[in-house]
Amino acid sequence: MPFLSETLARVKPSPTVAVTQLAAELKAQGRDVIGLGAGEPDFDTPDNIKAAAIAAIEAGKTKYTAPDGIIELKQAICDKFKRENGLGYVPSQVSVSTGGKQVLFNALLATLNPGDEVIIPAPYWVSYPDMVRLGQGEPVIVEGERQLGYKITPAALEAAITPKTKWFIFNSPSNPTGAGYNRDELKALTDVLMRHPHVWVMTDDMYEHLAYDGFDFVTPAQIEPGLYDRTLTVNGVSKAYAMTGWRIGYAAGPEHLIAAMRKLQSQSTTNPSTISQWAAVEALNGPQDFLAERCDAFLRRRDLVVAGLNACPGIDCATPEGAFYVYPSIADCIGKTSAGGALIENDEAFAKALLEEEGVAVVFGAAFGLSPNFRVSYATSDAALTEACARIKRFCEGLR
Ligand code: GLU
C-alpha cells in the first residue's frame, strides 16, 4: 500500500511557486537571474497599512479570532463590495481566509462530491484544476480563443455545461493572460449561466484594481443580479495593496455556503493571522489614491514588455487589459534549437533553456493549460524588465 494518498497523486506542486523558488535559489547561489515568475507586486505595502498592523500588535490584538474573520474586517469587506461593485452583503455572508487561495480551496472542498464537474477557462491560474482534483471533482477545461486575447466564447461555455457541472470559475482580469472581460462579454457569459440554474459561479476578482486604458471592471453578480444567490465573489488584498505575504483573501456569497466554508476552516487553520486582518481593515477603509499611481507604473511596464517581446523573433504578444501579466505565444520558436544546444520541443523546454542560458525566469504555458506560451509577470522594475527583454531577444535570435 502506498503511504501517500491517491488524491495527492492526482495533483502536482504549484508551478508558479516552484519557478519563484527556483529563481530565488539560483540568485542565492550567486547566479544573475531576473525573476519574471512570481505574481506579486514589487511595491512595498503602504505605510498606513503597516502602521495599522504595528498598532494591532501593540494593542495586544494577537489572539485567535472568529475562524472566518473579525467583524470589523467583514464590515470593511461589505463596504468595499457596496462602494466598488454595487453588491449588497452583510457580514454573515463574508468569509476571510489565509489568502484568496484558501478561500477558493475552502469553497471547492466544501461543495464538491466525487465526479462533480468544474468548468475552468484556459489558460487558467495553475491552482484551479488541482484544487478541484483535491476536492475529488473533475476539471472541465474550456480553451480561450487566441484572437480574443484567450477569452472564452459563450458558445464554448454552453457546450461545456452538463448535468454534473457544479461551478464555473471565472477570472478577469486574468492570471496568466491579463485579459479582461468587458460588460458585453461578461453579460453574454452570464446569459448562458441564467439558462443553467444548477451551475454556480466562483469569480476570482483578485486583479480588479489592476486595469488599464480605462478598462471598466465588472463582476458577475453585479452584471447579472439573477446570479447573486449562486455566486461566490472572491477577492483579496494581496495584489492591489501589495500584501502578498500578509495572506488575507476574502469572499462573499450565500450564507449557507459561507457557513460550510467556516466549518472547514475551523477544522484546518482556524483564523487567518489576526495582525494581518487588522492591516486589511486599514487597506480597505484607508486612502485608496496610491492605487492609481501604481497602476500608472504597471501600465508603463506593460507597454515596455509588450513592445520588448514583440521585437523578439518568434514571439507574438497581445496587449492585455489588466493584471500584471502577459502571455505571449511562442508557436514560431517550437522545433528550433537554442544557441546553447537545447531543443525547444515545447514551452517548458523554452522556459528551461531561457533560464539556463540567459538567466530569465518565466513560467511555461503548459502550467496554465494552453501552449505554446509563457507567462511574464511584469511586476518588477523597469530596469529589470528592459534587461530581461534584451536577454529574451538575444535568446530568440539564437534559435536555429
Ligand atoms: N498567484 C500568484 C501567481 O500566479 C502567486 C503564486 C501562486 O500562489 O500561484 O504567481
Side-chain angles (χ1 to χ4, degrees):
M1 280 280 277
F3 179 63
L4 299 178
S5 75
E6 285 170 21
T7 304
L8 196 70
R10 299 179 74 209
V11 306
K12 60 188 179 314
S14 164
T16 47
V17 174
V19 169
T20 308
Q21 285 300 315
L22 178 62
E25 278 165 31
L26 291 173
K27 271 190 206 165
Q29 290 164 17
R31 285 273 313 270
D32 169 22
V33 170
I34 303 176
L36 306 180
E40 74 176 344
D42 58 324
F43 296 118
D44 202 3
T45 306
D47 285 343
N48 62 309
I49 299 174
K50 289 188 198 170
I54 293 164
I57 294 173
E58 286 176 347
K61 294 172 176 170
T62 54
K63 305 288 184 5
Y64 293 130
T65 69
D68 60 357
I70 54 176
I71 186 70
E72 291 85 350
L73 180 52
K74 289 186 176 188
Q75 188 58 54
I77 291 164
C78 292
D79 295 346
K80 173 258 178 288
F81 279 127
K82 191 80 204 154
R83 182 175 70 236
E84 297 183 342
N85 312 110
L87 291 173
Y89 290 110
V90 294
S92 56
Q93 290 179 284
V94 172
S95 184
V96 184
S97 294
T98 302
K101 226 167 178 169
Q102 194 188 14
V103 174
L104 298 163
F105 193 82
N106 283 348
L108 290 166
L109 252 75
T111 55
L112 293 179
N113 289 310
D116 281 350
E117 295 175 1
V118 178
I119 297 177
I120 303 173
Y124 45 71
W125 177 48
V126 295
S127 294
Y128 299 144
D130 279 345
M131 286 182 182
V132 170
R133 292 186 186 103
L134 287 170
Q136 312 283 329
E138 300 293 335
V140 173
I141 307 302
V142 176
E143 282 206 4
E145 304 284 330
R146 185 169 159 183
Q147 65 277 17
L148 299 178
Y150 300 110
K151 288 180 260 193
I152 63 163
T153 62
L157 172 61
E158 185 126 43
I161 294 173
T162 75
K164 289 184 173 173
T165 307
K166 192 146 225 172
W167 287 101
F168 167 54
I169 299 185
F170 179 70
N171 173 222
S172 164
S174 152
N175 176 2
T177 64
Y181 288 73
N182 65 30
R183 273 173 194 274
D184 292 344
E185 289 166 337
L186 181 52
K187 183 70 172 65
L189 296 183
T190 59
D191 284 350
V192 172
L193 296 165
M194 287 304 285
R195 291 197 285 276
H196 300 275
H198 66 292
V199 180
W200 282 56
V201 187
M202 194 176 296
T203 179
D204 177 353
D205 297 350
M206 195 59 81
Y207 296 92
E208 168 178 11
H209 288 294
L210 302 167
Y212 317 115
D213 303 328
F215 175 74
D216 183 18
F217 171 84
V218 277
T219 189
Q222 172 188 20
I223 208 120
E224 178 46 82
L227 288 174
Y228 177 87
D229 287 335
R230 50 183 167 113
T231 297
L232 185 71
T233 304
V234 182
N235 212 314
V237 294
S238 291
K239 314 289 180 177
Y241 300 94
M243 292 177 69
T244 47
W246 300 76
R247 311 307 301 130
I248 296 291
Y250 57 83
E255 251 175 49
H256 65 103
L257 171 61
I258 296 297
M261 292 162 63
R262 181 186 316 129
K263 180 159 96 176
L264 188 58
Q265 193 159 300
S266 78
Q267 292 288 21
S268 57
T269 56
T270 314
N271 61 283
S273 158
T274 306
I275 300 151
S276 298
Q277 289 188 64
W278 284 105
V281 171
E282 173 62 19
L284 295 175
N285 288 347
Q288 307 288 310
D289 36 321
F290 72 94
L291 289 172
E293 283 163 37
R294 291 185 173 186
C295 272
D296 287 347
F298 281 132
L299 172 64
R300 190 180 65 240
R301 293 166 177 185
R302 180 200 69 175
D303 291 344
L304 188 162
V305 166
V306 169
L309 291 174
N310 280 326
C312 303
I315 295 188
D316 178 20
C317 186
T319 303
E321 292 84 1
F324 38 61
Y325 306 113
V326 291
Y327 197 65
S329 164
I330 50 166
D332 293 343
C333 300
I334 301 302
K336 297 190 172 169
T337 301
S338 71
L343 174 61
I344 308 302
E345 52 185 345
N346 52 35
D347 54 28
E348 188 164 2
F350 180 97
K352 186 165 178 277
L354 181 63
L355 180 57
E356 279 168 6
E357 297 176 28
E358 292 289 353
V360 178
V362 298
V363 187
F364 56 94
F368 305 96
L370 199 142
S371 292
N373 291 65
F374 64 92
R375 186 189 79 172
V376 165
S377 166
Y378 57 81
T380 188
S381 72
D382 294 31
L385 293 170
T386 304
E387 172 62 16
C389 287
R391 293 186 192 187
I392 296 170
K393 185 158 184 262
R394 190 165 58 209
F395 179 79
C396 289
E397 285 170 349
L399 295 175
R400 293 286 173 266

